[in-house]
Amino acid sequence: MKHFAIIGSGISGLTAAYLLSKKHKVTVFEKNDCIGGHTATVDIEKEGVKFAIDTGFIVFNDKTYPNFLALLDEIGIGKTPTEMSFSVHNCQTGLEYNGHNLDTLFAQRRNIFKPTFWLLVKEILRFNKLCKSIFEQEQYIDGLTLGDFLTQHNFSEFFAEHYILPMGAAIWSSSLAQMEEVEFTFFVKFFHNHGLLNIADRPQWYVIPQGSRSYLTPLCAPFKDDIHVNANITGITRSDDKVHLHFKNAASQTFDEVVIACHSDQALALLDDANENEKMVLSAMPYSANTVVLHTDKKLLPKRKKAWASWNYQLSHDRNKAASVTYNMNILQGIQSKHTFCVTLNQKDDIDPNEILREFTYHHPVFSSASIKAQQQRHLICGLNHTHFAGAYWHSGFHEDGVRSAVEVAKRFDCYLAIDDEHA
Ligand SMILES: Cc1cc2nc3c(=O)[nH]c(=O)nc-3n(C[C@H](O)[C@H](O)[C@H](O)COP(=O)(O)OP(=O)(O)OC[C@H]3O[C@@H](n4cnc5c(N)ncnc54)[C@H](O)[C@@H]3O)c2cc1C
């Protein structure tokens, strides 16, 4: 039996701890005063009614989250179907639409008479068809970015700026300019796998009843007495057969193995004796900050209620500005209230301060050709020197990816999800 230090208590760290604790001893260190990382449900009370609202991780689906679904099943957590819809509104021109169905697509009825809007619909269909055919025939071009692809295939600026770039920017919390730099192969695989190239036949999306934090207690049950919050680790060093964690109070603790399950930049900052490969790989996968505000100011949503979707993107004239997207939590979590609870990314100045309930800063990985290349070099650093790296950034940046990265680490020590153990 080995003793593992797990650094970080997001889905990646907790899944690693859960799986490894099946056969080994684990100790979890979290620098915040609570566990969960981006699983951050908050309690809100309005006129005596209590609501549990998700401000980070919210949704998952029945198609591209196999490991997360198996994990939920194993720890006895259920799921509630939700609606995933996407709207775009341009405050300068007043254009708004919600792609949920034909009625909401033409929520702004005058768009029926606008040739530019019909051209947008036509280009969406052409884009989907072209991308599906590239995916099916694996016609990938090394180094091609989404921006290159749009230019090569003569997609209009209107289509790029009112559909594909905002949708990608909302998914990865990036700017429109950063979206253009995303590697096309990574983009097309993600869009295809998530059914985003289909008009029908999309996956069913779910939320966790009573908020996403509900899975934390059963997931942590096997090691609940071995979790240290407010941990202040100043550095990590490795010797021949041990890993040493150094703390602010000058104390050190020694472990057989360490799973570093915080973000790539945070992981590199912790490694006092980082080798050249660790520096090269981890520094090539940057994160960007997003301000996140939970509020009840409806003006962050499209003007027409019919155009309200679960994800609402507000276009800005600044293409380098991080995604301004508002999640309608009443739609996503099925909340019944006269208040409309919204979670808005990167648009705090537009929110009425009297309507603000909570504020956070979350970091999201930035995907580019360089970071995709670095992902493929994980084997150069992960599993060597008694050091393992887990985190959603190793794959597409979502909850399934955090679980998957932890499953990959745990497998090295003969620890599996129950569903995989049957086949191991
Ligand atoms: C606003 C927002 C909404 C999102 N919504 C969804 C969604 O609906 N569906 C989905 O699948 N994904 C969503 N995501 C993506 C989300 O980031 C991933 O799903 C996943 O939760 C990331 O998990 P992680 O374990 O990699 O990182 P994190 O959850 O960030 O966990 C890392 C942990 O490491 C800790 N840490 C950092 N440094 C140290 C240190 N030195 N010592 C100890 N601990 C440390 C941090 O405090 C944190 O708790 C969303 C992201 C954001 C920002």
Side-chain angles (χ1 to χ4, degrees), residues 90-354:
N90 183 335
C91 292
Q92 270 139 24
T93 63
L95 177 109
E96 56 187 36
Y97 70 86
N98 167 7
H100 188 51
N101 58 39
L102 208 56
D103 187 30
T104 60
L105 185 66
F106 290 99
Q108 194 173 24
R109 290 294 190 245
R110 65 171 183 255
N111 288 335
I112 295 175
F113 307 104
K114 278 192 182 161
T116 44
F117 198 78
W118 282 105
L119 187 63
L120 176 73
V121 176
K122 215 171 135 192
E123 285 194 278
I124 293 172
L125 298 175
R126 177 163 76 93
F127 181 84
N128 290 351
K129 195 171 164 200
L130 195 53
C131 288
K132 276 203 256 185
S133 134
I134 289 171
F135 178 88
E136 277 152 19
Q137 293 170 37
E138 297 188 19
Q139 289 171 329
Y140 303 124
I141 301 175
D142 228 16
L144 186 81
T145 64
L146 175 60
D148 297 335
F149 176 83
L150 294 172
T151 310
Q152 268 181 20
H153 292 276
N154 295 318
F155 283 100
S156 70
E157 195 183 319
F158 192 80
F159 165 78
E161 305 278 324
H162 287 84
Y163 181 73
I164 204 65
L165 297 180
M167 192 187 281
I171 290 171
W172 285 291
S173 309
S174 68
S175 67
L176 299 190
Q178 279 170 331
M179 263 324 287
E180 281 179 322
E181 294 308 314
V182 165
E183 183 166 275
F184 180 70
T185 306
F186 169 83
F187 170 90
V188 87
K189 284 182 182 168
F190 184 90
F191 262 57
H192 186 276
N193 293 339
H194 285 78
L196 294 168
L197 301 173
N198 296 339
I199 298 299
D201 192 25
R202 293 196 163 189
Q204 174 63 53
W205 289 85
Y206 296 95
V207 291
I208 294 182
Q210 282 90 49
S212 55
R213 69 174 170 204
S214 309
Y215 74 66
L216 295 175
T217 303
L219 185 60
C220 295
F223 52 93
K224 64 179 188 325
D225 299 328
D226 299 304
I227 301 175
H228 301 276
V229 292
N230 295 313
N232 202 335
I233 304 168
T234 52
I236 300 172
T237 51
R238 282 75 54 97
S239 53
D240 279 352
D241 57 353
K242 296 282 175 201
V243 176
H244 312 279
L245 266 51
H246 309 286
F247 296 87
K248 191 158 183 220
N249 64 4
S252 291
Q253 282 186 42
T254 297
F255 296 86
D256 299 312
E257 306 280 335
V258 63
V259 181
I260 307 180
C262 43
H263 304 167
S264 39
D265 51 346
Q266 298 166 331
L268 183 57
L270 279 172
L271 289 171
D272 285 340
D273 55 1
N275 61 37
E276 288 311 310
N277 281 343
E278 287 168 337
K279 286 181 196 162
M280 174 186 74
V281 175
L282 293 171
S283 66
M285 295 183 285
Y287 270 73
S288 68
N290 293 278
T291 55
V292 174
V293 179
L294 171 62
H295 63 94
T296 50
D297 186 352
K298 293 195 282 264
K299 76 170 181 297
L300 276 289
L301 294 167
K303 212 167 133 195
R304 293 158 189 81
K305 205 166 176 184
K306 202 171 257 183
W308 289 8
S310 37
W311 290 34
N312 304 276
Y313 195 98
Q314 192 171 112
L315 288 171
S316 142
H317 57 275
D318 182 357
R319 306 185 77 256
N320 292 306
K321 190 177 175 291
S324 298
V325 53
T326 295
Y327 306 132
N328 184 325
M329 301 311 296
N330 292 35
I331 298 180
L332 283 165
Q333 288 188 274
I335 295 170
Q336 303 293 332
S337 169
K338 68 173 186 191
H339 302 283
T340 305
F341 294 104
C342 298
V343 170
T344 293
L345 270 65
N346 305 315
Q347 224 182 331
K348 186 185 162 199
D349 293 349
D350 297 333
I351 304 169
D352 176 351
N354 297 317

Side-chain angles (χ1 to χ4, degrees), residues 7-13 29-32 36-39 55-59 65 231 233 261-263 266 270 287 292 327 345 362-364 391-393 397-400:
I7 302 178
S9 71
I11 185 67
S12 316
F29 297 95
E30 168 55 54
K31 78 169 178 196
N32 286 341
H38 287 175
T39 298
T55 63
F57 163 65
I58 314 163
V59 287
Y65 286 70
I233 304 168
C262 43
H263 304 167
Q266 298 166 331
L270 279 172
Y287 270 73
V292 174
Y327 306 132
L345 270 65
Y362 295 127
H363 294 83
H364 211 268
Y393 66 91
F398 295 92
H399 239 52
E400 169 66 13

